[in-house]
Amino acid sequence: MSTKSFISTDAIFDDERHETTPSQQTEDDIERENEKKLRLKVDIRLCTIAGILCSLNLLDSGIISSASVTSMLDDLGLQGNRYSVSIFIFTVASVCFQLPATIAVRVIGPRIFLALTTFCFGLITLCTAFIHDWKEMIAMRVLLGISMSGIYPGLTLLISSWYTREEQQLRFAFLQSGEVIILATGGIVNFGLNHLDGRGGLKGWQWMYLIQGLVACIIGFITYWWMVDFPEKAHSSFHFLSDTETEVAVKRIQRDRGDVQPNPFTWSEILRHFLDPKIYGFAATFFLLNLVSTALSYFLPIILQGGMGFTANQAILLSAPPYYYAVIPVLLSSRIGDKYHLRGPIITFNSLCLIAGFSMLGFSNQVTVRYIGVYLATGAYISNWAALNSYQANNITGQWKRTVTAAAVTACNGLGGIAGSFIVRQNEAPRYLTAIWVSIG
């Protein structure tokens, strides 16, 4: 896809030149300063908590992937393809509830909905520490998928509602940065928790679920007070914007794309947007992206242990640094994308880096080169998450259409996760050529 629609629209803004009087210049300066202060306030309140909440999806993958190199697979009887089933059943449940959950974010409001679902996610994660076999694991994974279904598309919708098109990629980068930092830190935490193996009658993997589930429950309570509502309902947020600031927020979004106020909700209003072919194009790109990301995020410790010869604890610990590194390319590429109004070239460059990273991981004989390939691939796919989110948000207008698009692309993102859970085959260690070739393709 091209970025023509985004670039051409902004070119209109760039080409507008008006003769202004000194008083008009002063008013414009004041307006720009007010918008700058508003953006900072929204960044602090929205992007911070959004990054934390978005990390819950990767928190789940971080726990189960770290636990997969401990005694969990034997303790729960997750032999054969049962581990892959436990991953994809989570995604199936999430995909099935994606659209109604995203609509609920718009109707109920993000503060109540996201706080409730986050608390439920934490409670279910905590309870997973006390299951006894693979059947109970499957049941808990279904519940986790349902509880997570509205978080990512809801946050995507909320961020695209608060920022103009030329500001969005950097904010999605903030979202991804918070997500991967917490994921990487979770890997280090899992390394430490695995050393509690046997304490209190619990295995190391049980401590991972117990402690991080408890933390997620606490985050759920914080979310209710810290999360903000949509711009036109900013007054309902807890100690957020003044009436004047709310007016500025609404005015600038209305000026950018004219869709602050949603039409009344009806199912016909929702379903008619599925006739737009752009939605399916965006959905396909997210399917392919998560096909790749699942292969790394869920299976990286297994690849490090079975494919590179590291011990279980080393594999857990070495899973963290590539995610810390990923913050650099995602912020850098997003800053460039927003500054120069670029989307397609950024996505293409990241894809080429992804191909290079998987080639190093799959075809080199040196462990160091293969591990560097993990860095390159991880940074590339996380950067493309921010780029693709801003790309679709820049080309979709209308509150309900953006709701439908956010749900659709996240659902196909999840379907990519289902496919990705089956391309890493343990009997192909140490090369995992199926995963390598599919990801490169």
Side-chain angles (χ1 to χ4, degrees):
M1 297 182 187
S2 73
T3 57
K4 181 178 179 181
S5 60
F6 177 63
I7 296 173
S8 62
T9 304
D10 288 314
I12 295 174
F13 301 146
D14 293 338
D15 290 339
E16 289 179 353
R17 298 291 185 267
H18 302 286
E19 294 294 329
T20 57
T21 65
S23 62
Q24 288 175 320
Q25 289 178 339
T26 303
E27 290 176 1
D28 290 341
D29 290 341
I30 293 173
E31 185 175 357
R32 280 194 294 268
E33 185 65 26
N34 288 338
E35 288 195 12
K36 183 178 179 181
K37 292 178 180 178
L38 174 68
R39 279 195 303 271
L40 178 60
K41 186 174 285 190
V42 177
D43 286 343
I44 293 172
R45 281 293 292 269
L46 176 55
C47 292
T48 50
I49 191 65
I52 294 172
L53 295 185
C54 193
S55 71
L56 295 180
N57 190 21
L58 289 183
L59 175 69
D60 168 73
S61 68
I63 296 175
I64 195 170
S65 63
S66 295
S68 68
V69 294
T70 67
S71 63
M72 184 187 74
L73 299 186
D74 292 329
D75 293 341
L76 301 180
L78 289 168
Q79 287 84 18
N81 67 349
R82 289 174 181 171
Y83 178 65
S84 292
V85 171
S86 69
I87 293 173
F88 94 77
I89 200 68
F90 167 91
T91 308
V92 170
S94 180
V95 167
C96 290
F97 284 84
Q98 218 101 67
L99 180 58
T102 310
I103 293 172
V105 173
R106 180 74 249 192
V107 174
I108 299 173
R111 286 183 66 202
I112 296 175
F113 183 86
L114 293 175
L116 180 61
T117 53
T118 301
F119 178 80
C120 290
F121 173 86
L123 183 62
I124 297 166
T125 300
L126 187 153
C127 291
T128 305
F130 304 103
I131 61 177
H132 301 93
D133 58 34
W134 67 273
K135 295 178 183 177
E136 293 177 0
M137 171 61 103
I138 297 298
M140 300 306 286
R141 300 289 296 168
V142 170
L143 294 176
L144 278 172
I146 294 172
S147 67
M148 277 295 299
S149 59
I151 293 181
Y152 190 82
L155 291 171
T156 300
L157 175 63
L158 189 59
I159 286 179
S160 65
S161 297
W162 271 102
Y163 295 98
T164 62
R165 289 168 296 162
E166 64 182 17
E167 299 166 352
Q168 287 177 2
Q169 185 168 345
L170 185 59
R171 272 66 194 187
F172 282 121
F174 291 157
L175 187 75
Q176 301 301 148
S177 298
E179 183 178 22
V180 297
I181 287 172
I182 291 175
L183 173 64
T185 305
I188 297 173
V189 170
N190 288 333
F191 171 78
L193 292 175
N194 195 41
H195 283 80
L196 296 177
D197 189 45
R199 301 285 183 90
L202 298 177
K203 301 291 183 67
W205 65 268
Q206 291 176 299
W207 280 109
M208 296 179 196
Y209 278 104
L210 179 63
I211 298 300
Q212 293 178 73
L214 180 61
V215 170
C217 288
I218 295 172
I219 292 173
F221 282 109
I222 296 173
T223 298
Y224 180 77
W225 304 106
W226 194 257
M227 179 56 68
V228 303
D229 213 313
F230 289 95
E232 75 278 11
K233 298 180 180 178
H235 60 276
S236 65
S237 305
F238 185 72
H239 287 305
F240 184 34
L241 300 182
S242 66
D243 291 340
T244 302
E245 290 171 325
T246 300
E247 184 178 342
V248 172
V250 170
K251 183 186 297 183
R252 72 194 213 97
I253 298 302
Q254 192 68 18
R255 183 174 63 240
D256 181 61
R257 56 181 180 268
D259 67 350
V260 171
Q261 291 288 348
N263 296 327
F265 171 75
T266 62
W267 279 109
S268 60
E269 176 70 19
I270 295 294
L271 296 176
R272 73 181 181 88
H273 296 305
F274 283 101
L275 299 176
D276 188 345
K278 288 200 301 291
I279 292 179
Y280 300 98
F282 291 132
T285 59
F286 276 85
F287 173 89
L288 296 173
L289 180 62
N290 204 33
L291 177 72
V292 174
S293 67
T294 298
L296 277 177
S297 62
Y298 278 99
F299 291 93
L300 182 55
I302 292 177
I303 293 172
L304 291 171
Q305 184 185 40
M308 300 187 195
F310 294 105
T311 66
N313 280 326
Q314 287 174 334
I316 293 173
L317 195 59
L318 289 173
S319 299
Y323 290 102
Y324 285 122
Y325 157 78
V327 174
I328 299 173
V330 70
L331 290 178
L332 183 60
S333 63
S334 297
R335 182 70 184 94
I336 293 172
D338 278 350
K339 183 176 182 179
Y340 297 104
H341 300 172
L342 297 174
R343 295 295 181 255
I346 297 292
I347 294 169
T348 301
F349 175 77
N350 290 334
S351 298
L352 293 174
C353 291
L354 189 62
I355 292 171
F358 268 100
S359 296
M360 293 167 67
L361 176 60
F363 306 127
S364 175
N365 293 319
Q366 298 182 14
V367 171
T368 301
V369 174
R370 297 184 70 196
Y371 188 54
I372 292 174
V374 172
Y375 276 77
L376 196 58
T378 303
Y381 86 73
I382 288 173
S383 297
N384 256 355
W385 254 340
L388 286 170
N389 268 313
S390 58
Y391 189 29
Q392 64 89 3
N394 289 164
N395 289 279
I396 298 293
T397 58
Q399 289 285 345
W400 292 120
K401 189 171 186 178
R402 285 193 289 114
T403 300
V404 169
T405 304
V409 299
T410 307
C412 285
N413 185 66
L415 293 174
I418 295 175
S421 66
F422 285 97
I423 65 174
V424 179
R425 301 172 180 175
Q426 296 187 40
N427 61 357
E428 293 184 350
R431 294 295 179 184
Y432 302 100
L433 289 180
T434 298
I436 296 298
W437 281 116
V438 170
S439 298
I440 290 175

